[in-house]
Amino acid sequence: MSTLFQLGQGLTVAEAAARLARDGPNVLPSGRRTPAVVLLLRQMVHFFALLLWGASVLALLAGMPQLAVAIVIVVLLNGAFAFAQEYRADKASQRLRELIPANVVVRRDGRRTVVAAAELVAGDVVLLEAGDRISADLRLADVHALGVNESMLTGESRMVRPAAGDEVFAGTFVVEGQAEAVATATGGRTRLAGIARLTEEASRPPSPLSVQLGKVVRIVAGIALAVGAAFFGLAQLLGMHAGESFLFALGVTVALVPEGLLPTVTLSLARAAQRMADNNALVRHLEAVETLGSATFICTDKTGTLTRNEMTVAALWAPDCPPADVLRTAVLSSTGRMSDGKPVGDPMEVALHVEALRLGADVDDEITARFPFDPLRRRASVVAGGRLHLKGAPDAVLPLCRAVPGVDEALAAMSDRGLRVLAVARGDTAQERDLEFLGLVGLFDPPRADVAEAIWKCRIAGIKLAMVTGDHPRTARAIAAEVGLLGDDELVVTGAELPGDDAALGELLDRDGVVVARVTPEDKLRIARALRSRGHVVAMTGDGVNDGPALREADIGIAMGASGTDVAREAADLVLLDDHFATIVSAVELGRATYANVRRFLTYHLTDNVAELTPFAVWALSGGTIPLALSVLQVLALDIGTDLLPALALGAEPANPRTMHRPARTGSLIDRRVLVRVFGVLGPTQALAEMGAFIGVLLLGGWQLGAVPDAGLLAAASGAAFAAVVLGQFANAFACRSQSRWVGRMRWRTNPLLLGAVAVEAVLLLVFLGLPAVAGLLGGAFPPAAGWALAALAIPAVILADAAYKARQAGRRRASPDAPDVMR
């Protein structure tokens, strides 16, 4: 088959299917994945796990096999839990990556058609435009001002300009221009695949959230080691044998290390990312979930994001030219078409093609030269039939034309209606000057139905909005006013009017409802930088080939999945699969909920640690006159029995209805509010209930301060203390669901996972205390009825203390109206 025939007709659908079956899909060979067993073993040999293994060996050598077995169980359970979360998160990320749109325009059977990049085969005629990712190795045949970014392969960001006959390679991007090319190699036979086989995949740097959580874990672990060392010294002073003192202190330290925290966070982020994907928001990096929740300023495009991107020609002004001629020139200078009833290409150009066909315009002509649209020229032109045909933004086209009376009034009338206006002209030569003005075409793109509600949500959430668009300022203002985005001061500026100084730019735009029209990609980059310099967490949308720098500069780059370019999607943190502004708002809400969930199970973990430490502190401070309420094995059992499942369930807590009714939260995960709640309210209450149950059972059994209690009485009292901690944690789990509402005002059925976790914990409590062998191993016994009654007081005690604290905080908020709303 000759190249000329291929370029004219392309492959047949049958031939393409046969080649796909012969050569396989156009996908890169999967990199070597780490086996699951290796991932599992890694969770067993990190720093804290090695510390635990060493402790178990020492316990075994010291003749304490029970402690050795318990420590091994902790290692295995924590390791298995962490592995399960990492494996599940990795699988979720793989599924999310598969959702990223990857299509290519080809010519088959003589018609333009869109196929999945994986279905591209050698011999296909590929049609390239600015913004496309090149999905296979191609040989160029027809080139029009083509520019390609090969930095993926060469490391140099400099644009190259290949000519007809040159090769371009998979993984590179079309920066500008257009071309037709023939695929020469696909999948594992491409140059990119060869490089991938030689290059080990670089490990991803830790996310800001992971760094912050790692800091929390290190601080808590450091405190645990310090407490263990202190208890070792106290045990020595009280006459305990050195070996026993060491094991005692080591057991306390081991019990207080929050090893399950990071995998719990990872799973929470992965679950949120999957929920976002279900809502058409594809998160490309898990850490972006949390960053989304911190957004304070959203810079949104207009077309397709606030509007439906379903354009129709709504008005045409042609004073001296038949409408069909105007549409013919507009379509000749376009590449978008309606093909077999399906739109292919830019929706605006498809709308022009549909209207031209309706008017009976002849849109088929041999094009001898093409000058594609770019953000600087803001127009596109072709030479066909010996004449120049051009369309573009009115302010870019009208200066090239001979004067036409009434054009300014017609342009203003269309723009004030919210229409997107194109100017159409033609010339007798290929030179873009002294052109014949043909007319104005007004296209209507209706706003999306629920955009106004999404904008209202942003306003009550304290998120500022700006429309940043390339459209005419009158059109942008009309749409902004219609959807409710335009601010009270009705500020509308163009890119040319923006201050040159970034500080002045930030001051100008740092307001709600500003509209910036006729922006260039460079303007968007400056806007993102200026707003970030004023302390904002900026989310920036973009769909163009040159939007990549702005998307990377913003804290959250958001690309369009349905209409955006591959370049923009590669640079973005979030891809909107439906291009819908309301999807951004839903993603922000999920991001805020995830941040709140991390704080929830942090509070839960730390409260339990207070209750676990208290018996040892009381024993040490009393000089041993008050016996230990809990053994080290019981503390380990509490970690196994109370932390994992409820913490996991708290990580799945749905978003509070008032999540978007307050400004975004930023800053440290463990702030003053968390510390006060843990160490000033929940922890001490749970500790008092625990020690009250323990000492109450001892006193009811005839024990006196300083005396050595009977072994059976001590075991029963210890069982009561153990039960008080577990029951207190039940109440704590529900209390941690909100930072403002007490348990009685919460809907219990909104988090069924938590109900299930509490039910499982109740069964475990009965197993730990009800089975004599297990209870004896841990060092406790089934408490008497009075002990259970005292232990049960932990539930109302925690609930009431939590309610009193929240009521006090609510009173302070009412007294200080300017205080931040912390409803969770």
Side-chain angles (χ1 to χ4, degrees):
M1 183 181 294
S2 69
T3 300
L4 181 60
F5 178 74
Q6 285 182 340
L7 287 181
Q9 300 294 322
L11 298 176
T12 64
V13 172
E15 177 63 18
R19 295 189 183 192
L20 182 64
R22 181 192 68 194
D23 299 336
N26 178 37
V27 295
L28 291 177
S30 299
R32 289 186 301 173
R33 300 183 60 83
T34 305
V37 64
V38 175
L39 293 176
L40 178 61
L41 290 176
R42 285 178 182 173
Q43 299 297 337
M44 305 296 178
V45 294
H46 56 73
F47 171 74
F48 288 121
L50 293 175
L51 177 66
L52 295 174
W53 285 119
S56 65
V57 171
L58 291 174
L60 187 62
L61 294 176
M64 298 181 66
Q66 299 94 334
L67 180 58
V69 171
I71 293 175
V72 169
I73 291 175
V74 170
V75 175
L76 294 178
L77 283 179
N78 276 334
F81 180 73
F83 162 75
Q85 314 317 346
E86 181 180 357
Y87 187 75
R88 182 173 177 178
D90 183 64
K91 286 293 185 182
S93 298
Q94 289 293 330
R95 288 194 298 270
L96 294 179
R97 282 193 289 270
E98 293 170 1
L99 293 176
I100 296 178
N103 297 321
V104 60
V105 180
V106 299
R107 184 182 293 121
R108 290 180 181 174
D109 287 331
R111 294 191 297 271
R112 289 168 58 101
T113 185
V114 178
V115 300
E119 298 176 4
L120 192 65
V121 298
D124 257 326
V125 175
V126 181
L127 311 181
L128 300 175
E129 292 186 352
D132 288 349
R133 176 172 52 192
I134 297 175
S135 301
D137 289 355
L138 311 174
R139 185 170 297 280
L140 299 172
D142 189 19
V143 176
H144 299 280
L146 185 68
V148 177
N149 184 335
E150 295 185 340
S151 59
M152 177 74 76
L153 298 179
T154 65
E156 298 181 10
S157 58
R158 178 177 57 87
M159 182 178 67
V160 298
R161 291 195 174 277
D166 292 342
E167 277 195 304
V168 290
F169 303 101
T172 59
F173 293 90
V174 179
V175 177
E176 63 183 39
Q178 298 170 334
E180 295 189 10
V182 179
T184 58
T186 61
R189 293 168 292 279
T190 61
R191 180 180 176 187
L192 179 63
I195 294 175
R197 282 190 289 267
L198 298 175
T199 306
E200 291 289 336
E201 184 178 359
S203 59
R204 181 177 295 171
S207 70
L209 181 63
S210 295
V211 171
Q212 194 173 161
L213 284 166
K215 182 179 179 180
V216 170
V217 171
R218 287 193 299 272
I219 291 174
V220 175
I223 292 173
L225 290 170
V227 169
F231 276 116
F232 174 77
L234 286 173
Q236 286 289 91
L237 292 175
L238 293 175
M240 186 179 289
H241 187 272
E244 293 178 351
S245 299
F246 176 75
L247 290 176
F248 169 72
L250 188 58
V252 174
T253 303
V254 165
L256 296 180
V257 173
E259 289 188 283
L261 182 59
L262 287 178
T264 305
V265 172
T266 301
L267 181 61
S268 181
L269 293 177
R271 181 185 287 110
Q274 186 60 57
R275 289 178 63 191
M276 288 183 182
D278 294 339
N279 289 310
N280 293 313
L282 174 60
V283 177
R284 300 188 70 246
H285 311 295
L286 283 183
E287 62 270 17
V289 172
E290 189 272 337
T291 311
L292 265 169
S294 303
T296 60
F297 207 114
I298 298 177
C299 299
T300 178
D301 197 0
K302 176 184 73 68
T303 304
T305 310
L306 299 177
T307 62
R308 292 163 56 183
N309 207 19
E310 297 174 359
M311 292 191 177
T312 56
V313 175
L316 194 150
W317 185 77
D320 301 312
C321 181
D325 284 0
V326 178
L327 269 298
R328 179 177 186 271
T329 287
V331 172
L332 285 175
S333 56
S334 304
T335 57
R337 295 290 188 273
M338 181 66 73
S339 177
D340 294 334
K342 297 180 180 179
V344 179
D346 188 301
M348 179 193 69
E349 296 184 342
V350 172
L352 294 173
H353 185 222
V354 170
E355 183 67 12
L357 294 178
R358 189 185 71 81
L359 295 177
D362 180 13
V363 296
D364 292 323
D365 205 341
E366 181 181 358
I367 295 174
T368 56
R370 185 181 294 275
F371 307 95
F373 176 89
D374 69 58
L376 296 178
R377 297 176 66 237
R378 289 190 290 117
R379 59 184 183 270
S381 56
V382 298
V383 176
R387 306 189 71 181
L388 179 75
H389 300 267
L390 179 146
K391 75 171 188 311
D395 51 352
V397 175
L398 292 177
L400 307 177
C401 301
R402 296 186 287 272
V404 177
V407 66
D408 292 335
E409 292 79 5
L411 173 61
M414 286 187 183
S415 299
D416 287 342
R417 291 170 55 190
L419 301 183
R420 183 173 186 178
V421 185
L422 294 175
V424 183
R426 67 187 175 194
D428 294 328
T429 68
Q431 301 299 315
E432 292 185 351
R433 63 173 181 267
D434 195 29
L435 302 178
E436 175 192 1
F437 174 79
L438 299 183
L440 299 176
V441 181
L443 299 105
F444 180 60
D445 184 11
R448 294 182 181 267
D450 49 356
V451 160
E453 180 183 356
I455 289 173
W456 174 79
K457 284 185 176 180
C458 287
R459 295 259 159 80
I460 62 175
I463 301 173
K464 294 181 179 180
L465 298 173
M467 178 191 287
V468 182
T469 178
D471 267 350
H472 191 280
R474 287 177 178 265
T475 302
R477 185 191 186 284
I479 294 297
E482 183 173 354
V483 300
L485 185 145
L486 190 64
D488 293 336
D489 56 3
E490 300 186 356
L491 177 63
V492 180
V493 297
T494 65
E497 297 169 346
L498 295 177
D501 178 66
D502 281 359
L505 175 63
E507 183 177 357
L508 173 68
L509 299 183
D510 193 359
R511 67 186 74 195
D512 187 33
V514 63
V515 174
V516 189
R518 291 298 189 220
V519 295
T520 65
E522 292 78 12
D523 292 330
K524 295 180 74 171
L525 176 63
R526 289 189 59 225
I527 289 170
R529 183 182 298 133
L531 291 173
R532 288 190 66 201
S533 69
R534 293 179 66 86
H536 282 292
V537 178
V538 180
M540 172 76 74
T541 68
D543 57 7
V545 61
N546 292 322
D547 285 335
L551 297 181
R552 290 192 179 94
E553 176 67 30
D555 297 281
I556 293 290
I558 303 173
M560 305 299 111
S563 62
T565 61
D566 292 324
V567 175
R569 287 195 286 263
E570 287 292 323
D573 303 291
L574 183 75
V575 177
L576 302 183
L577 299 179
D578 59 357
D579 293 5
H580 196 341
F581 178 79
T583 302
I584 302 175
V585 181
S586 298
V588 169
E589 185 173 7
L590 277 171
R592 290 190 176 190
T594 302
Y595 180 85
N597 287 346
V598 173
R599 289 171 63 93
R600 284 186 177 104
F601 53 69
L602 261 176
T603 303
Y604 179 82
H605 275 295
L606 294 176
T607 301
D608 191 34
N609 285 353
V610 173
E612 291 171 350
L613 264 180
T614 298
F616 300 94
V618 170
W619 172 81
L621 293 174
S622 69
T625 57
I626 297 179
L628 266 176
L630 295 176
S631 69
V632 173
L633 289 177
Q634 284 175 312
V635 172
L636 294 175
L638 286 171
D639 282 341
I640 297 169
T642 65
D643 274 1
L644 297 184
L645 291 180
L648 184 59
L650 286 172
E653 183 73 20
N656 188 292
R658 291 181 60 84
T659 295
M660 296 292 286
H661 286 218
R662 56 188 169 272
R665 272 231 181 123
T666 57
S668 176
L669 285 170
I670 299 181
D671 55 13
R672 181 178 178 277
R673 188 175 296 111
V674 170
L675 293 175
V676 169
R677 196 170 177 213
V678 169
F679 296 105
V681 181
L682 296 175
T685 301
Q686 198 173 121
L688 285 173
E690 168 194 20
M691 295 309 299
F694 176 70
I695 294 176
V697 172
L698 287 179
L699 292 175
L700 290 173
W703 172 77
Q704 294 183 352
L705 185 64
V708 178
D710 175 74
L713 177 61
L714 178 60
S718 183
F722 183 88
V725 176
V726 175
L727 295 175
Q729 281 293 87
F730 289 173
N732 184 32
F734 289 100
C736 287
R737 293 184 64 196
S738 173
Q739 286 193 355
S740 62
R741 290 174 296 147
W742 79 289
V743 173
R745 288 184 55 201
M746 299 180 198
R747 296 181 179 179
W748 290 44
R749 296 182 180 179
T750 54
N751 190 347
L753 287 177
L754 187 58
L755 295 175
V758 169
V760 172
E761 297 312 300
V763 172
L764 287 175
L765 174 61
L766 294 177
V767 169
F768 289 152
L769 294 179
L771 295 181
V774 178
L777 176 66
L778 298 178
F782 200 82
W788 278 108
L790 291 171
L793 291 176
I795 295 177
V798 170
I799 291 174
L800 290 175
D802 179 65
Y805 169 75
K806 291 171 179 175
R808 184 184 179 192
Q809 293 297 105
R812 287 183 173 179
R813 287 194 297 272
R814 287 192 294 269
S816 303
D818 295 333
D821 183 4
V822 294
M823 296 285 281
R824 288 284 183 190

